[in-house]
Amino acid sequence: MKKTGKVYLIDVTNRDGVQTSRILLPKLSKTMLNIYLDEMGVFQSEMGFPTIKHEVNYINANLELAKLGAIKRIHLEGWCRAIPEDVKLSFKNCPDLKHLNISISTSDIMIRGKFQGRIGFQDIIKSLNESVKTAKELGAETVGINAEDASRTDINKLIEFILSGKEAGADRFRYCDTLGTDDPITIYERIKTLAIATMFPIEMHCHNDLGMAEAVSHAGAQGAVESGINTYINTTLNGYGERCGNCDLVSTILALKFSHELKNKVPLDEHVDLKKAWKIGRYASYAFNIPIPMNQPGVGANAFAHESGIHADGALKDRRNYELYDPEDVGRGEPELAETGRIITTGEYGGIKGFRHVCDKIGISFKNDNDARKVLELVQYANLHTQKPLTDGELWLIATHPDIVKQIMTVNP
Ligand SMILES: [Zn+2]
């Protein structure tokens, strides 16, 4: 029987999500997302930009968290342009970086429109090759080569791009549907062609300008796995990303697990734990300050709500009349205990008594008052840094890795 590939997830919230107009994340929140993505069994987190000064402390601190085992399995990867100068700067700033994705435009329309005749396709290939080799020389274990605007790039040029990157030592190719212009059938056929011609792992990076980001990603992934190669779907939390967003992480997993056809045809990395969806989706919404739409797949308020006569009657008789999956599948269903009476919180202007009370309640203990005071000071700064009440998870991270959190929050120019 013919070999079938598998689907792995690469979440790009901490790169594509945060670069989006009008939304942003504090570095502490980016760190929490890396931790939660790791807990969820996601293969890789595109953690940020190693060439940007204000990212450097955060990236190095997260690489340190991985060394200490606080981030266990996930690949923490940086993103930069596919030019040797950027690659060199990335490793100068972040010497422990092991995974890098490098990006360059490949479509005629972008090469003409952006580079204005200064460079052509062969210059792109040259820059790609030098960048891959530089990254490998400087210690990269994996390098992904991103073709920006791949969906509007001639297929033969993409094959040339892939084979040339493969030859230079790259590990994966990212097919960027940068403008969200592909449709499911087109991408399925194009990815199949690329897979058969190159037998090289392909990442799907699809945008949602036509409301098809998930459908297009899955169709591309199906084309890849049917050709016998592994594929990687790029996702973001709650679909945040440039313009109309990227492919939503939770919807992507739901489709691979519960779509009648996809669940049999497109196997998902078995490390992925959908039960973490509720926790991570809600945290991202909180950290980004963007409410989750009521009708969001899996994590929206109405995802399991039934009111109209026929639906409520049917759901009461057998939930499978109107639900594909259960609240428990996405980590919902537990009653939430929100404090509605007296509450002690800690933060920017908090003191030691209140802080220790909060810590006791969530199971954080200290050797002595001195240790507690040191962490309290950091908690005050962290609250200033995130500008919103700290979550239990954030307090936990601050208390267990105070020195690293200090580094993460150091973003002075
Ligand atoms: Zn993108």
Side-chain angles (χ1 to χ4, degrees):
M1 214 182 99
K2 209 174 110 193
K3 185 176 166 275
T4 309
K6 206 185 271 185
V7 179
Y8 298 85
L9 301 176
I10 296 181
D11 190 85
V12 299
T13 308
N14 277 336
R15 199 276 300 168
D16 223 339
V18 299
Q19 78 180 43
T20 302
S21 181
R22 304 190 244 217
I23 65 173
L24 77 165
L25 280 183
K27 308 300 181 197
L28 188 67
S29 309
K30 293 186 79 175
T31 306
M32 293 308 298
L33 284 188
N34 290 330
I35 292 171
Y36 291 156
L37 288 165
D38 183 43
E39 286 175 6
M40 199 175 183
V42 169
F43 176 80
Q44 181 161 307
S45 170
E46 191 152 278
M47 68 192 305
F49 303 88
T51 54
I52 295 181
K53 279 188 186 163
H54 66 67
E55 290 268 88
V56 171
N57 280 342
Y58 146 78
I59 290 177
N60 286 332
N62 273 255
L63 293 170
E64 188 63 28
L65 283 175
K67 270 192 208 160
L68 294 170
I71 293 175
K72 295 183 175 63
R73 192 184 146 268
I74 199 166
H75 282 187
L76 295 173
E77 162 248 315
W79 182 101
C80 72
R81 295 176 299 178
I83 54 177
E85 295 73 28
D86 270 26
V87 174
K88 282 179 203 155
L89 183 58
S90 294
F91 283 93
K92 184 169 173 252
N93 288 337
C94 309
D96 293 333
L97 204 58
K98 291 283 170 265
H99 308 283
L100 190 68
N101 268 63
I102 56 176
S103 180
I104 197 156
S105 314
T106 51
S107 66
D108 284 349
I109 187 165
M110 276 203 179
I111 293 173
R112 259 200 323 271
K114 286 176 152 191
F115 302 117
Q116 312 259 312
R118 280 180 283 114
I119 63 169
F121 186 71
Q122 287 313 316
D123 302 301
I124 300 268
I125 295 284
K126 190 163 170 270
S127 188
L128 173 79
N129 286 346
E130 283 175 22
S131 302
V132 171
K133 284 179 187 153
T134 306
K136 288 280 169 154
E137 277 162 24
L138 293 174
E141 284 171 14
T142 71
V143 179
I145 51 169
N146 307 3
E148 191 191 21
D149 206 15
S151 46
R152 294 192 299 175
T153 304
D154 174 74
I155 198 86
N156 290 316
K157 282 189 173 160
L158 286 181
I159 293 171
E160 188 182 342
F161 183 89
I162 297 170
L163 292 176
S164 159
K166 188 179 178 183
E167 173 87 23
D171 299 271
R172 278 193 311 276
F173 165 68
R174 178 175 295 180
Y175 179 97
C176 302
D177 183 19
T178 307
L179 275 73
T181 178
D182 261 344
D183 64 86
I185 293 170
T186 303
I187 197 171
Y188 171 81
E189 285 167 356
R190 279 170 68 82
I191 295 297
K192 235 179 174 172
T193 306
L194 295 176
I196 291 164
T198 65
M199 291 316 281
F200 198 57
I202 303 181
E203 295 181 26
M204 308 301 144
H205 181 93
C206 303
H207 278 267
N208 200 37
D209 299 67
L210 300 177
M212 297 195 288
E214 290 86 20
V216 168
S217 301
H218 291 119
Q222 189 174 341
V225 296
E226 283 179 5
S227 311
I229 59 166
N230 286 331
T231 185
Y232 300 76
I233 295 181
N234 287 190
T235 63
T236 61
L237 265 315
N238 303 334
Y240 305 139
E242 288 280 7
R243 304 179 310 280
C244 313
N246 290 52
C247 177
D248 170 46
L249 173 68
V250 174
S251 311
T252 297
I253 304 171
L254 285 170
L256 292 172
K257 282 189 176 288
F258 296 102
S259 157
H260 270 1
E261 291 298 321
L262 284 176
K263 68 182 174 198
N264 301 319
K265 290 180 177 166
V266 186
L268 172 66
D269 177 5
E270 63 282 354
H271 293 95
V272 174
D273 181 5
L274 180 59
K275 287 194 164 56
K276 299 289 194 294
W278 179 241
K279 180 179 167 187
I280 195 169
R282 290 219 316 164
Y283 179 76
S285 155
Y286 179 74
F288 271 106
N289 271 326
I290 306 173
I292 295 178
M294 201 176 230
N295 58 340
Q296 184 82 6
V299 294
N302 270 0
F304 303 94
H306 313 278
E307 181 176 308
S308 66
I310 294 170
H311 281 241
D313 176 57
L316 284 167
K317 284 174 178 152
D318 179 354
R319 68 199 195 289
R320 283 291 169 262
N321 281 323
Y322 285 105
E323 289 176 6
L324 271 176
Y325 47 89
D326 291 318
E328 293 77 14
D329 290 326
V330 290
R332 296 171 72 155
E334 294 286 316
E336 296 212 7
L337 298 173
E339 193 64 69
T340 57
R342 181 177 305 111
I343 185 166
I344 305 296
T345 62
T346 188
E348 198 178 351
Y349 299 104
I352 191 71
K353 290 287 189 309
F355 172 67
R356 293 207 72 158
H357 174 86
V358 171
C359 287
D360 280 348
K361 277 189 103 172
I362 57 174
I364 300 171
S365 53
F366 299 97
K367 271 190 242 127
N368 52 50
D369 230 36
N370 232 2
D371 276 13
R373 280 180 196 281
K374 266 193 232 159
V375 174
L376 167 62
E377 190 180 68
L378 216 50
V379 162
Q380 293 172 336
Y381 275 102
N383 192 197
L384 196 66
H385 171 87
T386 65
Q387 292 284 302
K388 56 173 87 70
L390 296 169
T391 65
D392 292 355
E394 288 167 344
L395 286 170
W396 187 267
L397 178 66
I398 298 165
T400 48
H401 295 284
D403 293 337
I404 293 180
V405 168
K406 202 171 186 175
Q407 188 184 359
I408 290 167
M409 294 194 301
T410 305
V411 286
N412 296 334

